Every structure is written in structure tokens, then in C-alpha cells.
Amino acid sequence: MKLGLFLAITLPIAFYAQDRSGVATKNEYPNAYSNGSAKVSSFTNSSRLFKDWSISVGGGAAVFQNADLSSFYDGKVNLGWNGYVSIDKQISHTFGISVLYQMGMLNQKGLLPGAGGVAAGVATAWTKYQQVSILGDINFSNLLRRVDNHSPYRWALHGYGGVGLQGYNTLLLDNDMSRYSTVPKRIPIEIDQKLGFDTFFYQIGMGVKYNASKLIDIEARAMYIITGDDSFDGGGNGKNAIPRYNAITTGNSDNFVTVNLGLSIKLGKHDTHLSWYDPLQDIHNRINVLQNSPDEFIVCEKGDKDNDGVCDDWDRQLDTPAGARVDGAGVALDMDLDGVIDLYDKCVTVAGPVENNGCPMSSPSNK
């Protein structure tokens, strides 16, 4: 009996505790994230306001910055090259993400210390590499842009960071390891590292983009690439390799720098790309338009001096006594039309002279 009574009370509460204002599934509107009167709809491709996909290509120079064999030797720079292509997705106006493929070739030189250097002379090496990575993109200009900055928004500062996999092939030649014409013949130092999950690298960088048109962005980008591999510069496999090129410096990671110029082709039908859209600036512009728009219709421009609720612009009785009820024209009501307004009329529904406070003479108002 007690159980049945408990269920009879609690089950209706459980069923009707939630407000089901027309919601059958989480994809219907209104839902828990909107009120019943909001004009909302699900976010689909057709409801997008901006472009948010692009394809980027570019290329430029590459040099070793930190390695046993360096691109900077004897006052000269041994430039390499690199190129990239990426598919870019803009997540918000301040953040995007890219799938990036890059390849290139580095040229470097080095000299072993002591007698080894005398025998081998200056070694020359090259590294050919391929990399696949995920790259995050922070739009600092959108992140830090002031709402009172009214300058044309065509330049943007970007920061990048990501991780990926790499494969590379290296070859090192010197006067000692490359003696094909002597006995015994020696084999040059060569490494062929296949791309795999054990070849992680990291990269960070900065870039400047210019909004050339609604279709094209131009970008200058500098990236610092941390290979995490001491053999990437062609010095051999490990610190104990013979000859000991990998022991020229104490570091265990051969890092290099790329400087590129590239293009981003913005995909989509809209005029504006999301990376060039600043919500705060848009809000500021809308407020500015409202503040500077002409007044099309001003209500109660002259005020309501007698506080009867009818603006003086169309009030036919500007000195209505305080507390008197008025009609739409601001005139105090006199229901019995005896010339005494209802505020002072002691007999509101029966006509009477003013001398008797609006009551008939046969019915004195003081009785």
C-alpha cells in the first residue's frame, strides 16, 4: 500500500519535471541551450557565414641552426631549400589547424677536431627530408586586436606549433671516408631513415599574412624545426659512430630553420574568411552605426510635463491635475459631462453643477 502510494506521487513528478517545450531529440530546437522563443537552427554547411577551409603552398630556404655539421661554415652560408603544401581548417577567428606535408634539402659542412680533422679535411654533407605534421595556428592579431582600431584589417600576425613524423636520407663525404681510389676502399657515411612512428619532430614559428583578395592570402613564415635526432645532419648513427662527427657539439638534436613565402587559396562561396573576421570589431561597428543613424521617429520629444502619461506632443490638456484620469488626448475624464472632472466630482455618474461638486442640487454633496 505504501509502495503504491509512493509511486503514485513520484512518477508524475519524474515524468513532468523536465520542460519538454517541443524537444524530442538533442538536435531539435528549442533545446536546453535555447529558450522557447529563440530563433535558432542547427549549424550546417548552408548556415555558414564565412569561408573556413583553405589550401596553402609555399617554399623557401632551409639552414641548420643547431647541429654538428652546420650550414654556416667559414663565413659562408650553405643554403638549402624546402617546400610545403597544407590543407587548413579555421576553427574560430583566433585558431586554426592544418595537415602539412613538407620536404626539402639541407647542405652543411663540418671539421673533426684534432688529427681526425687533419686526415679528413672539411666534410660536406646533405640531408634530404620529408615530413608530415599537424600544425596549430593562432591568429594573434585577432586575439589582441583593439575594438577601437578602425584601420583596414589586411595584415595579421600568426603563431604556429605542431608535431609530426619525418623520414630522411643523408650523405657525408670527406677526404678520409671517401677514398675510392685507395686501399682499403671506404664507404661514405650514408643514412636512410624511413618515415615512421619513431621519428617524431616538433616545430614552432611565426608568420605574417596579407589579405590580398577574397580568394588569396600571401604569407611570409619562419619555422624552427626540432628533429630530436642526432643523425639528421649526416654525421652518422649515434655519438659513438666512427668517425665521430656527432661528437663535434654536445647536443642530441639537429635543429634547422626554414624561411618561406607562400599562398593560401581560400575555399568557399563567401566573401570573407573566418581568419579575417573579428567579432568584437563587428559588434563595435554595429554599435557605431546605431549611434550615428538619424532619428526616424522620436517618441515624447517634448516630454510629459503634467505626468498624465500622454506626451506633450499630442496632449490637448498640458495642465492636467495630478491624479486625474485622462483619455488618449490627455484630457481629464468627466464621465457625466457636467463640467466637473471625475477627480473632483462627488457624483461621478450623475450630472450636477460645479457649485455642488458635480452632484444634483437635490442631493447635496456634503450629505
Side-chain angles (χ1 to χ4, degrees):
M1 178 68 180
K2 292 182 179 180
L3 178 61
L5 181 61
F6 174 78
L7 293 175
I9 295 174
T10 58
L11 285 178
I13 296 176
F15 278 113
Y16 296 102
Q18 300 294 326
D19 177 15
R20 297 179 55 81
S21 57
V23 183
T25 70
K26 65 180 181 179
N27 294 323
E28 292 185 6
Y29 293 90
N31 57 26
Y33 303 98
S34 66
N35 61 45
S37 63
K39 185 180 179 180
V40 294
S41 60
S42 59
F43 180 71
T44 63
N45 286 330
S46 61
S47 65
R48 296 175 190 269
L49 299 177
F50 317 99
K51 300 175 183 177
D52 52 11
W53 287 95
S54 61
I55 296 176
S56 298
V57 295
V63 291
F64 271 113
Q65 180 273 335
N66 178 38
D68 299 289
L69 290 99
S70 176
S71 298
F72 303 91
Y73 190 85
D74 195 24
K76 298 180 180 179
V77 181
N78 299 284
L79 286 176
W81 63 270
N82 82 101
Y84 69 87
V85 60
S86 68
I87 299 175
D88 316 313
K89 167 67 174 178
Q90 195 69 28
I91 307 300
S92 72
H93 69 290
T94 59
F95 180 74
I97 195 167
S98 302
V99 177
L100 180 73
Y101 171 78
Q102 51 196 339
M103 63 180 297
M105 179 176 177
L106 292 147
N107 297 300
Q108 55 272 8
K109 292 183 177 182
L111 179 66
L112 288 171
V118 174
V122 177
T124 62
W126 52 253
T127 301
K128 297 178 181 179
Y129 68 90
Q130 299 183 68
Q131 297 174 332
V132 178
S133 61
I134 300 294
L135 192 67
D137 175 0
I138 298 177
N139 188 331
F140 288 113
S141 293
N142 255 344
L143 188 64
L144 304 175
R145 187 171 172 83
R146 291 170 57 102
V147 297
D148 58 351
N149 185 351
H150 296 163
S151 61
Y153 188 24
R154 301 190 73 86
W155 292 92
L157 178 66
H158 288 251
Y160 302 99
V163 62
L165 307 174
Q166 63 185 1
Y168 60 88
N169 178 259
T170 71
L171 178 66
L172 182 145
L173 301 175
D174 63 21
N175 295 333
D176 186 33
M177 295 301 295
S178 309
R179 297 182 299 174
Y180 288 102
S181 60
T182 61
V183 179
K185 292 183 179 180
R186 298 187 179 183
I187 301 174
I189 300 174
E190 184 176 8
I191 297 174
D192 187 12
Q193 174 64 55
K194 302 299 183 183
L195 188 147
F197 287 100
D198 59 341
T199 59
F200 278 101
F201 75 96
Y202 309 90
Q203 59 181 338
I204 56 174
M206 299 289 290
V208 178
K209 279 190 176 182
Y210 175 69
N211 186 11
S213 70
K214 66 179 182 180
L215 179 63
I216 297 292
D217 287 345
I218 301 173
E219 180 183 25
R221 179 189 299 184
M223 301 295 296
Y224 186 72
I225 300 174
I226 305 169
T227 68
D229 192 326
D230 201 26
S231 301
F232 192 84
D233 62 353
N237 285 306
K239 285 289 186 183
N240 298 321
I242 303 297
R244 295 177 58 82
Y245 283 101
N246 282 339
I248 294 177
T249 62
T250 58
N252 293 317
S253 177
D254 298 329
N255 307 331
F256 64 100
V257 176
T258 62
V259 179
N260 298 321
L261 185 65
L263 298 175
S264 290
I265 303 171
K266 295 170 280 190
L267 307 176
K269 63 181 181 179
H270 299 288
D271 290 337
T272 304
H273 193 275
L274 184 53
S275 62
W276 294 104
Y277 171 73
D278 183 359
L280 291 178
Q281 186 73 12
D282 184 60
I283 292 172
H284 175 80
N285 290 338
R286 291 172 185 265
I287 294 174
N288 186 62
V289 169
L290 290 174
Q291 289 176 338
N292 293 284
S293 60
D295 298 324
E296 297 179 358
F297 181 72
I298 301 176
V299 177
C300 235
E301 183 178 10
K302 297 179 180 179
D304 180 14
K305 294 180 181 179
D306 55 8
N307 294 316
D308 61 358
V310 179
C311 293
D312 292 350
D313 296 340
W314 50 80
D315 194 336
R316 293 173 56 190
Q317 188 179 63
L318 297 176
D319 57 350
T320 304
R325 295 186 301 164
V326 298
D327 59 16
V331 178
L333 293 177
D334 179 12
M335 293 184 62
D336 54 11
L337 301 177
D338 59 3
V340 180
I341 63 174
D342 293 350
L343 178 66
Y344 304 132
D345 199 330
K346 299 297 183 178
C347 300
V348 178
T349 59
V350 180
V354 175
E355 295 79 7
N356 203 34
N357 296 322
C359 290
M361 295 305 294
S362 59
S363 302
S365 61
N366 57 1
K367 291 184 180 181

